[in-house]
Amino acid sequence: MNVPVLNQNAPTKYFDFDVSEDYGAPDCVEKVIRLINNEWPPKPMHVNTGDNVVITVRNKLFTESLTVHIHGLLFKGAPWADGAPHITQEPLPPGKEQVLSFNVGDQVGTYFAHAHNNLQELSVYTPFIVHDDNMEMQALGYHDERIITLSDNYHRDTDALMAGLRGPQYRWTGDAQSLLTNGIGSFQGPCSIRPDGQPYPSSWSITEVQPGRTYRLRIINAAALGYFQFQISGHRMVVVEADGMLIEPFEIEALTINSGQRYSVLLTTDQPPQDYWVNHQIIWRRTGPQNGWSLLRYTSANIPFGAIPVVPSVLPPRLPEVPDYMERFLLPRLNDPRGVVPPATRQLMFRFRSQASPATESRVRWTFNERDWRDPVNTIMLMQKLGQLRTPQDAAHGQVVHLRRGEVIDVIMQGQTNQMGVCEDHPIHLHGHGFWDLGSGPGTFINEQAPPVPSVAVFRDTTTVYAYSNLNAAAAAPPGTDCGWRRFRFVADNPGAWLLHCHIPAHLVNGMAAAFLEIPEDIPAPPSDINNWRPISF
Ligand SMILES: [Cu+2]
């Protein structure tokens, strides 16, 4: 096995990542679910900064190919471990195993692993936490930590949803049926009884805390569609981390978090010992499930075993949907050099919208600069290595942009109305990089009229292009009308091929992506097993 990316002087953490399928009921309604290492909810993955990580991915699904991506990790020196399908590898077929090897470098914070092929990330995800010998614990003054993964759940299987999105008839996925916390939830009240008479194990996730302490809650949005407002009754939160970067702390009553984003908040358990409802609800969309409940339980509360809590009849009041509700507070910590924004050397504009295409194809495609991403016939990076990729554009139907070492790339994401003339919000994620998130605005981005670029900015990997106007309204503008824009900036310093895409999987599979082919001459040789996976039996 060729694993050149590991640091001989660092400890190595080994993980199995077996993905299989079974029947289960994450929200009390039975359906086909995917398991990680035979479990749902799966166990979080914990490593330390500087660790080597070796993950053996085994595809024990019956029909679907698989890739595993760790969202937010940079994979420096190990771009082949990124798990972007058809970009850094061909998807792993059923009955095969693959080893992902990389070093986490100096990254610290809250990340998550998820499957990345087709719509698999709807059902395969688990936290990936990078610890740092309690340095952040001491700096921030908390006693312990808890993970809260927010997601959504469709009763229809991902295969059926995929057929709708990519089949000639085009059927939008629609809203999820339930909102989950740490992989479980409740569609309509407590769980009913299984056909064999046993109760389903899920209803509401319970986060147990002791009184009189300060906890770091690592909050991950792994949803397919939901931009969430998250809050805990009776408690305020102090936000301290955004996508792995410590930020200047600020106190807030409710957090807003888009798909793919992570925040840490500090929570002080200074209230009377009892159960407190925790809620996440969908914002920036007019429809969707309203059952995003879980519990914060003080261990001293003496809740009788088996007691069934009564869900509040009303949701917490919805915040005003303004883009800068939280973003105006997001600033890097003073003296953190990572927050200093360098001048750009090159600007790239990505206009994106959805378009109806002829009925002989998938009827709706999302395009970046009029090009929709379709799976290239072979991996972009591998083709580059083999000398088969003469120009980046050879590889794909979509857009591949070549980046040279040291370029400072100013990216403008210009959102436009969809095929129905409606503006939507889109979480935008870049692989292989963090970026300085430089703000957003309504309408059309014009350089001369854009707000000045701040001298310091939060450095993260997932941001939002807001709808700004016309939110889910009846069509009021022709398709392709500018809705709003987002600006971010990054340095081309990580040789590899990196996906830039919408983190709504249903948009991604309909083409909403482009790729950067970055410093291709310095991309390391591929692992010896690339696209030649070892068989397993299961
Ligand atoms: Cu989108």
Side-chain angles (χ1 to χ4, degrees):
M1 182 69 61
N2 174 13
V3 282
V5 296
L6 302 186
N7 176 352
Q8 300 306 323
N9 300 315
T12 301
K13 296 270 166 56
Y14 293 90
F15 295 94
D16 291 315
F17 202 106
D18 290 16
V19 180
S20 59
E21 53 200 327
D22 194 3
Y23 280 90
D27 69 344
C28 308
V29 176
E30 193 170 72
K31 64 171 208 171
V32 174
I33 63 169
R34 275 74 183 174
L35 308 175
I36 301 175
N37 297 327
N38 295 312
E39 285 187 297
W40 189 265
K43 288 190 175 61
M45 302 163 81
H46 293 276
V47 304
N48 292 313
T49 186
D51 276 353
N52 298 316
V53 177
V54 177
I55 302 173
T56 303
V57 179
R58 296 186 189 87
N59 185 350
K60 299 181 174 179
L61 301 173
F62 298 114
T63 57
E64 287 178 55
S65 296
L66 171 77
T67 70
V68 173
H69 167 66
I70 303 176
H71 182 107
L73 289 197
L74 302 179
F75 298 104
K76 285 218 167 149
W80 302 96
D82 185 49
H86 309 288
I87 294 177
T88 60
Q89 66 170 92
E90 290 306 309
L92 185 68
K96 301 278 187 174
E97 78 171 27
Q98 168 188 17
V99 177
L100 301 172
S101 305
F102 56 93
N103 185 282
V104 296
D106 60 1
Q107 287 190 275
V108 176
T110 307
Y111 305 89
F112 65 114
H114 65 74
H116 210 304
N117 196 26
N118 295 335
L119 292 175
Q120 277 162 353
E121 64 191 88
L122 271 63
S123 53
V124 180
Y125 50 86
T126 196
F128 187 97
I129 310 298
V130 186
H131 298 274
D132 67 347
D133 292 329
N134 297 333
M135 281 169 57
E136 288 189 348
M137 180 184 262
Q138 286 160 20
L140 296 169
Y142 58 90
H143 301 100
D144 204 350
E145 59 179 68
R146 300 285 184 267
I147 302 170
I148 296 183
T149 303
L150 310 174
S151 64
D152 44 19
N153 177 58
Y154 286 83
H155 289 164
R156 274 192 297 159
D157 186 52
T158 48
D159 256 0
L161 298 172
M162 190 72 188
L165 291 170
R166 292 282 285 270
Q169 293 184 50
Y170 185 75
R171 293 186 194 174
W172 171 239
T173 58
D175 292 313
Q177 279 65 55
S178 52
L179 304 181
L180 307 182
T181 303
N182 290 334
I184 64 173
S186 176
F187 177 50
Q188 291 172 324
C191 279
S192 54
I193 302 298
R194 284 198 318 213
D196 62 5
Q198 295 299 307
Y200 283 116
S202 54
S203 279
W204 293 286
S205 171
I206 298 175
T207 299
E208 291 197 331
V209 292
Q210 294 172 7
R213 297 174 81 81
T214 297
Y215 288 88
R216 176 183 190 165
L217 305 182
R218 297 178 183 270
I219 300 162
I220 299 166
N221 185 340
L225 199 54
Y227 191 140
F228 294 133
Q229 171 182 327
F230 170 89
Q231 61 209 96
I232 303 172
S233 60
H235 296 75
R236 291 176 71 82
M237 302 173 280
V238 176
V239 186
V240 293
E241 179 209 350
D243 293 359
M245 184 192 212
L246 291 190
I247 56 174
E248 278 296 312
F250 61 94
E251 194 179 80
I252 207 156
E253 179 187 340
L255 187 82
T256 59
I257 181 168
N258 207 350
S259 172
Q261 294 184 322
R262 294 87 61 210
Y263 289 104
S264 283
V265 301
L266 299 184
L267 175 92
T268 301
T269 50
D270 55 2
Q271 296 300 305
Q274 60 184 66
D275 277 350
Y276 292 88
W277 282 105
V278 182
N279 178 264
H280 60 296
Q281 61 178 308
I282 291 172
I283 53 174
W284 294 100
R285 277 183 185 269
R286 294 282 79 88
T287 59
Q290 301 192 333
N291 47 18
W293 298 102
S294 69
L295 286 167
L296 180 78
R297 171 164 294 174
Y298 281 50
T299 52
S300 54
N302 268 325
I303 306 294
F305 180 78
I308 296 175
V310 178
V311 181
S313 55
V314 291
L315 293 175
R318 207 152 146 160
L319 297 167
E321 285 168 331
V322 289
D324 65 351
Y325 162 73
M326 246 181 52
E327 290 175 7
R328 67 198 146 125
F329 299 118
L330 292 177
L331 285 170
R333 298 199 120 197
L334 294 176
N335 306 322
D336 183 347
R338 285 195 307 160
V340 178
V341 182
T345 63
R346 181 179 176 191
Q347 190 175 69
L348 295 171
M349 163 78 80
F350 294 94
R351 291 184 183 83
F352 58 87
R353 62 171 177 142
S354 61
Q355 314 189 29
S357 61
T360 49
E361 302 184 35
S362 304
R363 206 173 64 81
V364 172
R365 303 292 298 182
W366 279 93
T367 55
F368 274 10
N369 294 337
E370 302 298 314
R371 303 175 72 122
D372 59 318
W373 186 267
R374 296 184 195 189
D375 298 337
V377 291
N378 205 338
T379 10
I380 292 175
M381 276 206 303
L382 193 63
M383 290 175 71
Q384 172 69 34
K385 266 340 232 193
L386 298 176
Q388 295 169 352
L389 193 66
R390 279 173 290 280
T391 71
Q393 209 53 67
D394 285 352
H397 187 273
Q399 191 173 9
V400 182
V401 181
H402 190 157
L403 304 182
R404 292 172 291 274
R405 182 179 287 283
E407 285 188 303
V408 183
I409 307 295
D410 208 27
V411 175
I412 311 297
M413 304 298 302
Q414 175 67 61
Q416 300 181 322
T417 46
N418 66 14
Q419 81 281 3
M420 296 181 296
V422 173
C423 295
E424 300 179 68
D425 87 271
H426 300 273
I428 300 294
H429 173 53
L430 175 59
H431 287 219
H433 286 280
F435 50 71
W436 292 277
D437 199 4
L438 301 180
S440 64
T444 305
F445 178 85
I446 299 169
N447 262 313
E448 297 71 34
Q449 296 169 14
V453 170
S455 57
V456 296
V458 70
F459 192 76
R460 66 184 321 171
D461 55 62
T462 309
T463 188
T464 304
V465 180
Y466 284 96
Y468 273 105
S469 60
N470 193 15
L471 175 70
N472 289 4
T481 303
D482 288 342
C483 297
W485 52 268
R486 165 71 60 179
R487 178 182 211 163
F488 61 83
R489 191 171 289 183
F490 68 97
V491 177
D493 60 359
N494 193 9
W498 308 111
L499 200 59
L500 170 72
H501 68 93
C502 180
H503 211 264
I504 294 174
H507 289 173
L508 172 59
V509 300
N510 277 358
M512 197 169 175
F516 294 115
L517 182 59
E518 183 169 337
I519 323 172
E521 63 278 15
D522 290 346
I523 293 175
S528 52
D529 65 342
I530 190 88
N531 292 352
N532 185 21
W533 318 117
R534 277 210 328 219
I536 54 169
S537 61
F538 68 100

